[in-house]
């Protein structure tokens, strides 16, 4: 079978690999559509020291069961919640499997989705990580559900309510999804701050209810206050890899405001937050990492019910054109890119 394999440093190639076999408790699935995540793009551009190479990366996909191992009886199309907890540690016992002490993730510790076929680990099947895709949901839509689950995880801490103003940094797929989720929860003003003009134009079309503004220079901070009604915002979400947004976001936060540091920062960072601001504003600052099975279920339900249209964000490429697909993300000509084997 063909797979897009990462060999270390910045070396990727479409490679012929042996067909995976389903061992006891496992299954083999045909990848119908796999989606490229920001993490994959980071590995493609800058390499990753964390991955044991060679490995097939990718963790977002819609797949069709082709072979069941001993003791397994699955059929049909599924998405797999990729971050698999041990089920034993303190976080797992509390249902926060995404915070597992020994998290094993598809496309990181297990071979990933940028391939024609994938072996589904026994742990994923045992712990309920496979979620059935309803017939009316397309392969492409199902393949981009997992990032929505990560946004749901971040917003679970933010308690967005009717009338809130929400500032989102970054107009990529996840910035826009955050905006759509915030609007669903009754946010009155949703502002997306983005430095790239190409991205701003697209975000305006994708989420017409949001105010999309240019944050390339600091004057945008006054614009945020104007839109929010002369004050700051109740909620800030950073969906971009720029540390400066952590500091400026905290500045713009209202009293009792909530902030999610959603996007991780590459490498070392020295964006210290002013803890006195947090103290005097009684602000809350939250982290966010990956998602639970339940949140993947909720995300799929939002898509299946038609409340969230994810298809409008998608550009599709053939798996053999994976390099072109990654390039379209680098050029910002595409918002969310999927690979079809
Ligand atoms: Zn992802
Ligand atoms: Zn665990």
């Amino acid at each position: 079978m063909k797979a897009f394999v990462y060999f270390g440093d910045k070396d990727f190639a479409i490679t012929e690999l042996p067909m995976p076999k389903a061992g006891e408790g496992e299954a083999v699935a045909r990848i119908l559509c796999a989606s490229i995540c920001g993490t994959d793009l980071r590995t493609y551009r800058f390499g990753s020291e964390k991955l044991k190479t060679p490995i097939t990366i990718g963790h977002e996909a819609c797949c069709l069961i082709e072979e069941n191992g001993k003791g397994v009886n699955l059929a049909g199309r599924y998405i797999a919640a990729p971050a698999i907890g041990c089920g034993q540690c303190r976080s797992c016992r509390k249902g926060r499997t995404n915070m597992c002490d020994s998290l094993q993730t598809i496309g990181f510790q297990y071979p990933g989705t940028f391939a024609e076929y994938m072996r589904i680990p026994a742990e994923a099947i045992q712990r309920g990580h496979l979620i059935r895709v309803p017939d009316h949901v397309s392969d492409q839509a199902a393949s981009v559900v997992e990032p929505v689950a990560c946004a749901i995880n971040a917003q679970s801490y933010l308690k967005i309510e009717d009338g809130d103003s929400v500032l989102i940094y970054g107009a990529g797929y996840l910035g826009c999804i955050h905006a759509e989720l915030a609007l669903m929860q009754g946010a009155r003003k949703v502002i997306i701050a983005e430095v790239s003009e190409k991205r701003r134009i697209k975000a305006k079309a994708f989420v017409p209810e949001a105010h999309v503004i240019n944050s390339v220079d600091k004057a945008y901070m006054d614009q945020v206050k104007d839109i929010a009604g002369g004050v700051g915002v109740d909620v800030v979400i950073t969906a971009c890899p720029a540390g400066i947004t952590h500091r400026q976001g905290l500045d713009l936060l209202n009293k009792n405001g909530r902030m999610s540091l959603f996007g991780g920062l590459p490498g070392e960072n020295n964006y210290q937050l002013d803890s006195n601001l947090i103290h005097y504003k009684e602000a809350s600052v939250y982290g966010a990492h990956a998602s639970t099975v339940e949140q993947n279920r909720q995300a799929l339900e939002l898509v299946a019910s038609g409340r969230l249209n994810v298809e409008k964000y998608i550009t599709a490429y053939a798996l053999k054109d994976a390099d072109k697909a990654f390039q379209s993300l680098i050029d910002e000509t595409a918002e969310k890119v999927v690979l079809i084997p």
Side-chain angles (χ1 to χ4, degrees), residues 37-40 59-60 82 146-147 150 336:
C37 177
T39 329
D40 305 321
H59 57 271
E60 304 172 3
E146 185 266 349
C150 297
K336 185 67 174 161

Side-chain angles (χ1 to χ4, degrees), residues 295-334:
Q295 287 158 347
N296 278 265
R297 230 178 263 286
Q298 288 169 18
L300 182 57
E301 173 54 32
L302 275 181
V303 171
S305 68
R307 292 180 72 200
L308 188 63
N309 168 13
V310 287
E311 301 212 5
K312 64 180 187 249
Y313 296 103
I314 298 175
T315 307
Y317 283 86
L319 176 66
K320 67 177 176 41
D321 295 326
D323 283 306
K324 273 190 212 156
F326 275 95
Q327 196 54 47
S328 73
L329 286 166
I330 295 169
D331 300 341
E332 298 174 357
T333 50

Side-chain angles (χ1 to χ4, degrees), residues 254-328:
N254 280 341
K255 290 172 184 167
N256 296 118
R258 292 88 66 198
M259 178 155 95
S260 174
L261 305 182
F262 179 73
L265 302 182
E268 290 287 303
N269 76 82
N270 52 3
Y271 284 94
Q272 286 164 355
L273 296 181
D274 181 347
S275 58
N276 245 349
L277 271 183
I278 301 174
H279 171 81
Y280 284 112
K281 288 184 181 184
E282 290 194 1
S284 306
V285 178
Y286 297 97
H289 175 68
S291 55
T292 65
V293 174
E294 186 47 38
Q295 287 158 347
N296 278 265
R297 230 178 263 286
Q298 288 169 18
L300 182 57
E301 173 54 32
L302 275 181
V303 171
S305 68
R307 292 180 72 200
L308 188 63
N309 168 13
V310 287
E311 301 212 5
K312 64 180 187 249
Y313 296 103
I314 298 175
T315 307
Y317 283 86
L319 176 66
K320 67 177 176 41
D321 295 326
D323 283 306
K324 273 190 212 156
F326 275 95
Q327 196 54 47
S328 73

Side-chain angles (χ1 to χ4, degrees), residues 5 53 84 87 108 114 120 135 145 170 185 200 207-208 223 228 266 291 298 306-307 322:
V5 177
T53 54
I84 304 164
F108 293 82
F114 296 163
I120 312 276
D135 289 345
V145 155
Q185 289 171 86
R200 284 199 302 275
V207 197
Q223 212 183 335
S291 55
Q298 288 169 18
R307 292 180 72 200

Side-chain angles (χ1 to χ4, degrees), residues 76-90:
R77 291 187 309 150
Y78 290 86
I79 57 169
I84 304 164
C86 70
Q88 316 274 320
C89 73
R90 196 179 130 83

